[in-house]
Amino acid sequence: MTVEVWWAEVGAARDEFLADLDQVELERFAAYKRIVDNRRFLLGVTIVRRVLAARFSLPAASIRLDRTCPECGKPHGKVRADGVELSVTHSGELVGVAFADRPVGLDVEKVDPELDVDAVARVAFAADDVRALSRRTGIDKVRAFTEQWTRMEAALKATGEGLRGVRQRAPDGIQVVQLDVGEDHRAALAVVSAEPPVVHVRDASGLLSSGSDPHP
Ligand SMILES: [Zn+2]
């Protein structure tokens, strides 16, 4: 099975992308207090819309996306589309979207040298993983922590359940792979699958620099 993962940098967001957003998306865009948050959101939505537009030969604005929350019915749940499984993530300078034909989770985190990784690890990680982490120091330790964190988050997003108690060792039927996104970030992809996924990593800059309509 294959998973497509698209990456963009926050700086690639442009106001013209707003033209393809639906009412729910425009309201959410306007609600973000920090500009960087609405840029990240806009990029995530635009990648989802443009990749699906190309795939289904439809204008990006006519792709129907559903964000209904399973708990309360309000439109603040994770994004879903008919016929494809999606996962959107953003942190630091990066925005990523994974597309698959089965449940998928993508997580990116900026490596934060200020983070008290020991304190968080003690609460969130299994004893073995806390011990493995304690053998590292400095930025190397922060990177190792962040890598582990992305694995847990990706698995959580793919399954709706945490890896609490299994941590590095994902349960049977869930594949977790690390993706290389450079020094400053860590990223992981999880997919509900018996076999390791073939991951196609794509740079979204071409997708984002063209007009929104794949069939002008
Ligand atoms: Zn809700």
Side-chain angles (χ1 to χ4, degrees):
M1 62 136 334
T2 60
V3 181
E4 236 177 72
V5 177
W6 292 76
W7 293 110
E9 295 198 4
V10 174
R14 297 203 309 274
D15 288 341
E16 65 184 77
F17 299 164
L18 287 167
D20 290 336
L21 270 54
D22 66 20
Q23 201 52 42
V24 163
E25 290 162 344
L26 288 171
E27 280 167 24
R28 192 189 285 199
F29 177 84
Y32 285 112
K33 292 190 176 62
R34 298 191 310 159
I35 286 176
V36 65
D37 291 326
N38 72 24
R39 300 280 107 180
R40 287 176 183 140
F41 173 74
L42 179 58
L43 268 181
V45 172
T46 303
I47 294 170
V48 168
R49 287 190 170 279
R50 292 190 174 193
V51 169
L52 296 183
R55 189 176 287 194
F56 299 132
S57 298
L58 288 167
S62 69
I63 299 293
R64 245 204 313 268
L65 300 175
D66 178 17
R67 293 182 173 76
T68 308
C69 170
E71 309 282 318
C72 71
K74 287 186 187 155
H76 58 213
K78 74 178 261 227
V79 63
R80 290 186 301 274
D82 277 348
V84 61
E85 298 283 343
L86 298 170
S87 184
V88 182
T89 185
H90 17 76
S91 178
E93 284 76 53
L94 291 179
V95 175
V97 185
F99 299 82
D101 62 3
R102 58 193 79 188
V104 66
L106 178 66
D107 190 63
V108 65
E109 302 289 343
K110 182 157 173 112
V111 175
D112 175 7
E114 305 294 310
L115 194 66
D116 184 355
V117 299
D118 292 311
V120 182
R122 271 197 300 274
V123 179
F125 288 7
D128 284 358
D129 294 333
V130 175
R131 265 195 300 280
L133 202 62
S134 72
R135 289 194 285 271
R136 296 169 179 260
T137 55
I139 192 70
D140 174 52
K141 181 186 238 180
V142 180
R143 290 205 178 103
F145 168 87
T146 309
E147 196 164 302
Q148 178 61 16
W149 186 265
T150 61
R151 299 173 73 85
M152 290 166 55
E153 283 294 306
L156 174 66
K157 287 172 151 184
T159 63
E161 288 163 45
L163 279 189
R164 213 158 238 293
V166 276
R167 306 315 193 298
Q168 228 143 10
R169 298 146 294 277
D172 284 351
I174 300 174
Q175 306 289 329
V176 184
V177 293
Q178 213 71 42
L179 303 178
D180 182 4
V181 286
E183 293 256 288
D184 297 338
H185 298 76
R186 285 294 180 267
L189 176 78
V191 60
V192 178
S193 167
E195 301 111 48
V198 175
V199 184
H200 295 299
V201 176
R202 310 244 194 264
D203 176 352
S205 37
L207 183 80
L208 296 169
S209 62
S210 60
S212 69
D213 191 344
H215 309 279

